[in-house]
Amino acid sequence: MPPTREHAELKLQPLPQAGRSLAEQVISEVRRAVHTGAMVPGRLYSVYQIAEQLNVSRSPVREAMLRLVEAGLVQVERNRGFRVVLPHPREIVEIFGVRLALELPAVRRAAGTAGLGAALRETMERMAEAVEAGDEELFFHLDQALHDRVLVAAGNGRARAIVGGLRDTMRILGSSTDDASRTLRQVHEEHEPIVAAVAAGDAGGAVRAMRAHLTNTGLILAAQAARAQGEPVDVAALWAAVVGEAS
């Protein structure tokens, strides 16, 4: 529907319309706009506004909005438009609780798998190059690929699909730990003991390293969400209540 006076003012840049699907580009632009303040959580926007400013049809915008609704970043108001919402810290903690439940058994099973250590080392080298180049998007793509390789080696396709969906949700939500809490280099370093243990066939060490990495990431993201929303949430207590004691 065309924007009305109740819709917030909005200024976005037209999409390049090359490479990724238009819906993916719309999702990225909405995330960027929220991050920069061009789109304000709680304000009402319309699909027509987004399509007009990005110079695309309304179909990819509607597709993107549906995916953002599924991820919890957008709430639709029927016949009015949509509002951007921020993830609650509990939602993030629950996501990491599920990841821990699935990825710890996976890395235990995958440790020592022939060829896996070398494949993970290659991914780590590419991640290091992304760190040097300051390419955050490539870095987190490789980060996801590294975790996915472990899940593939573990042989549980359903667990792989669930974790992939959870990571996509976090990506769409725009949550990352590249702020002052932790640098890309530090994220890279957290993966080192995981890869070393997997390559050595040290199942117990791989589980401990994966637990430490996922716990640290989850706590940082939940704390960021609490700060962004101005909520006085005791993240450590929330983590203990939902997941268990932090490692």
Side-chain angles (χ1 to χ4, degrees), residues 147 182 187 190-191 194 209-217:
H147 284 260
R182 187 170 59 165
V187 177
E190 282 187 15
H191 288 83
I194 299 172
M210 182 69 79
R211 179 185 289 114
H213 167 56
L214 291 178
T215 298
N216 191 39
T217 301

Side-chain angles (χ1 to χ4, degrees), residues 145-198:
L146 187 147
H147 284 260
D148 189 58
R149 283 183 181 275
V150 171
L151 290 159
V152 169
N156 188 326
R158 183 60 61 87
R160 181 192 181 195
I162 292 172
V163 171
L166 292 173
R167 290 193 64 117
D168 283 344
T169 295
M170 293 303 299
R171 177 182 60 80
I172 292 172
L173 287 172
S175 299
S176 67
T177 58
D178 63 322
D179 67 353
S181 302
R182 187 170 59 165
T183 65
L184 292 181
R185 189 175 302 281
Q186 288 172 323
V187 177
H188 181 267
E189 290 172 352
E190 282 187 15
H191 288 83
E192 282 287 355
I194 299 172
V195 173
V198 168

Side-chain angles (χ1 to χ4, degrees), residues 29 32 70 99 130 134 164 183 189 203 241:
E29 179 60 19
R32 186 202 64 79
E70 291 175 356
R99 286 192 61 186
T183 65
E189 290 172 352

Side-chain angles (χ1 to χ4, degrees), residues 30-107:
V30 169
R31 289 173 51 207
R32 186 202 64 79
V34 172
H35 181 71
T36 62
M39 294 182 72
V40 179
R43 291 185 183 174
L44 190 66
Y45 300 98
S46 75
V47 168
Y48 182 92
Q49 276 180 296
I50 301 293
E52 182 178 51
Q53 295 210 8
L54 297 182
N55 193 31
V56 296
S57 70
R58 278 169 270 180
S59 294
V61 177
R62 290 194 183 100
E63 180 185 344
M65 290 304 108
L66 287 174
R67 292 177 60 185
L68 290 169
V69 167
E70 291 175 356
L73 185 63
V74 161
Q75 289 181 344
V76 174
E77 295 193 13
R78 188 174 179 81
N79 298 324
R80 295 187 67 207
F82 66 89
R83 300 181 193 276
V84 173
V85 295
L86 296 176
H88 189 275
R90 185 181 184 91
E91 180 181 2
I92 293 172
V93 169
E94 289 175 348
I95 285 174
F96 276 87
V98 175
R99 286 192 61 186
L100 282 162
L102 294 175
E103 292 192 66
L104 298 191
V107 79

Side-chain angles (χ1 to χ4, degrees), residues 12-25:
L12 303 175
Q13 296 297 317
L15 296 178
Q17 301 190 33
R20 295 176 301 163
S21 72
L22 288 179
E24 283 284 344
Q25 292 184 54

